[in-house]
Amino acid sequence: MKNKNNVIKIGGSLLFTEKRTIDSEKIIAFSKIFKSSENPGTHIIICGGGLIAREYIDAVRSFEGSEALCDIFGIEISRINSKLIIASLKNLAYPQVPKSIEELSTAMLFNKIIVMGGLQPGQSTTSVALEVAEFTGAKELVILTDVPGIYDKDPKKFDDAILLRHLTFDQLQELILKNSDNKQAAAGEYRIFDAVSLQVLKRSNIKVIILSGKDLNEFKKYWNGEKDILGTIISND
Ligand code: UTP
């Protein structure tokens, strides 16, 4: 891995077991990769909200709370999840969760691993990860999610869904439009790529690598600079 600043997004659902309990072992395994790492640059981890965020969002929606209020709950949960990763990284991590890009730039002065969640309503933590990659000049962003990459259709619903190994920005846009429905931009429902993410990606030309973060094997390979990784690469090359 050669780029100076490394930006990694971890989906919030990856921090929980199927029984909805916190997967402490997984968090420890994830932190261990960074503890033993000699990769240069500042590592910035963006953590999602996962199923816990969705439960809060569903409750707020049942009180007829606004979508913005639902988003605020999602953001708060993503920050709590970030704190868990900070706790497991101990003094390798910057102790606070930056709440804005300005706070991130201050945190970057301390030479620690930075962990952060959402920033403002109307987007997903994938957008945050792209905004952070853009701001820090990272050339690549790796997104760890609960499937091995981007498929031509939802792999959780269709057995014949095909994993797309490479997508250009335009192909990604086409796919998002094809699969979009009304729920695409509701709180808790932003898919792997929401509209804000796509816009930031297109203007900043960042290469995105999407991998399964379920067992961390692919991420370890990526982190060690191996080339043969199962996932989807989004780039205009
Ligand atoms: P995500 O949906 O990004 O987390 O954030 P996730 O579930 O971990 O991501 P995936 O699906 O695995 O990739 C949780 C919710 O927090 C709100 C949104 O409602 C989002 O759905 N959020 C997050 C914001 O409103 N703004 C942000 O900057 C980030």
Side-chain angles (χ1 to χ4, degrees):
M1 208 168 165
K2 294 184 189 61
N3 53 316
K4 219 163 119 270
N5 296 315
N6 306 301
V7 184
I8 302 114
K9 186 213 149 170
I10 178 159
S13 53
L14 297 171
L15 309 183
F16 295 86
T17 65
E18 280 175 10
K19 289 184 182 150
R20 302 181 168 230
T21 55
I22 296 170
D23 195 342
S24 312
E25 279 178 22
K26 179 76 173 292
I27 297 172
I28 292 170
F30 182 63
S31 298
K32 226 172 158 183
I33 298 175
F34 295 93
K35 285 182 180 164
S36 59
S37 168
E38 287 177 8
N39 281 343
T42 300
H43 309 325
I44 305 162
I45 299 166
I46 320 296
C47 187
L51 54 95
I52 305 293
R54 276 170 190 86
E55 289 194 358
Y56 276 89
I57 288 168
D58 287 347
V60 176
R61 208 173 269 137
S62 76
F63 313 147
E64 296 175 4
S66 66
E67 283 303 302
L69 185 61
C70 291
D71 278 340
I72 288 166
F73 274 81
I75 293 168
E76 291 294 341
I77 299 297
S78 67
R79 289 176 179 162
I80 291 278
N81 289 344
S82 301
K83 285 226 169 232
L84 266 181
I85 299 179
I86 291 174
S88 79
L89 283 166
K90 301 201 169 71
N91 60 3
L92 277 185
Y94 184 73
Q96 304 291 330
V97 176
K99 294 186 170 69
S100 64
I101 295 290
E102 281 95 335
E103 287 188 13
L104 167 68
S105 57
T106 307
M108 287 180 75
L109 300 174
F110 291 84
N111 221 3
K112 297 272 184 187
I113 301 172
I114 298 165
V115 193
M116 59 193 284
L119 294 180
Q120 72 273 324
Q123 61 175 26
S124 67
T125 48
T126 299
S127 309
V128 175
L130 279 154
E131 288 155 8
V132 167
E134 181 179 63
F135 180 74
T136 59
K139 297 279 174 287
E140 276 179 21
L141 160 67
V142 62
I143 297 179
L144 304 179
T145 186
D146 58 357
V147 286
I150 293 189
Y151 287 75
D152 61 338
K153 48 193 168 188
D154 189 344
K156 290 177 185 159
K157 291 188 192 142
F158 301 95
D159 286 343
D160 61 342
I162 296 166
L163 177 66
L164 305 167
R165 302 299 298 268
H166 183 263
L167 285 169
T168 63
F169 298 163
D170 286 343
Q171 287 169 333
L172 176 70
Q173 180 163 333
E174 242 173 69
L175 196 71
I176 292 172
L177 286 177
K178 199 178 97 193
N179 291 330
S180 71
D181 56 34
N182 293 340
K183 277 177 113 193
Q184 190 84 8
E189 291 292 336
Y190 304 106
R191 298 278 67 113
I192 290 186
F193 262 83
D194 58 309
V196 179
S197 309
L198 187 67
Q199 291 317 316
V200 183
L201 175 72
K202 284 174 80 173
R203 75 177 187 185
S204 54
N205 204 24
I206 295 160
K207 179 176 174 186
V208 178
I209 298 123
I210 300 180
L211 308 173
S212 168
K214 277 201 149 174
D215 60 11
L216 298 177
N217 287 341
E218 295 307 311
F219 179 57
K220 278 185 200 154
K221 285 203 251 168
Y222 167 81
W223 197 246
N224 293 332
E226 289 178 35
K227 293 275 169 279
D228 184 24
I229 304 169
L230 183 71
T232 300
I233 295 176
I234 304 167
S235 75
N236 264 358
D237 304 340

